Amino acid sequence: MKTKIKGLLVLLTLSAASVAAQTLKKDTFTVAGNCSMCETRIEKAATSLEGVSAAAWDKETRMIGISYDPEKVDIHRIHMTIAEAGHDTEMHRASDQSYSLLPACCRYERLEYPSGQDGRQGHREDPENHGSDQ
């Protein structure tokens, strides 16, 4: 009887882990940066959020690949957190203050945004969220 219960518990645990893995979403987007110090800072910012399980930034392509649980964190918040660390993303421009705090080797060429850019805290309005998170 005990082995049947243990087996059932193992099966339920594996099923729950499988369902959890299916909810992860993968995304890629541009993040401005220059060097391995930028890579560390960008990845650390992204993975500091609950719900982000992995982040890998490539300095050659300036692209980050992330895996996250959309039930716990949205893509908008991930962009904002990386921008708060000093790095422009496709959705959010880092504030001038956070950009100026970067080491000299990390001061990249700033990303260009459409003329309708919202200047509040380096934020560029996201059409999906209508800027409501700021």
Side-chain angles (χ1 to χ4, degrees):
M1 182 71 162
K2 285 184 180 181
T3 53
K4 286 184 180 180
I5 293 174
K6 285 182 183 177
L8 184 58
L9 287 174
V10 169
L11 183 60
L12 288 173
T13 303
L14 290 174
S15 296
S18 174
V19 168
Q22 290 175 354
T23 63
L24 287 182
K25 186 172 180 181
K26 295 181 181 184
D27 205 347
T28 58
F29 53 89
T30 302
V31 179
N34 291 330
C35 63
S36 60
M37 285 177 27
C38 294
E39 178 179 11
T40 300
R41 186 180 311 101
I42 292 164
E43 291 173 357
K44 184 178 178 180
T47 57
S48 72
L49 293 166
E50 182 181 350
V52 177
S53 57
W57 182 76
D58 183 290
K59 71 179 183 179
E60 300 302 320
T61 63
R62 300 174 94 188
M63 298 293 288
I64 190 170
I66 57 166
S67 295
Y68 65 101
D69 182 346
E71 302 267 331
K72 294 182 178 179
V73 65
D74 68 2
I75 194 70
H76 186 66
R77 182 69 198 140
I78 297 168
H79 280 260
M80 285 175 42
T81 300
I82 293 170
E84 289 166 0
H87 294 272
D88 294 350
T89 74
E90 293 173 8
M91 270 186 209
H92 290 280
R93 183 177 174 92
S95 69
D96 290 340
Q97 180 182 9
S98 62
Y99 176 79
S100 71
L101 295 173
L102 295 174
C105 66
C106 296
R107 295 204 184 128
Y108 52 86
E109 186 175 325
R110 304 298 300 264
L111 296 182
E112 295 293 322
Y113 295 97
S115 60
Q117 178 180 337
D118 178 358
R120 291 178 293 140
Q121 299 176 350
H123 170 72
R124 181 174 69 90
E125 184 169 298
D126 174 16
E128 279 188 13
N129 294 311
H130 306 290
S132 62
D133 275 8
Q134 283 281 312

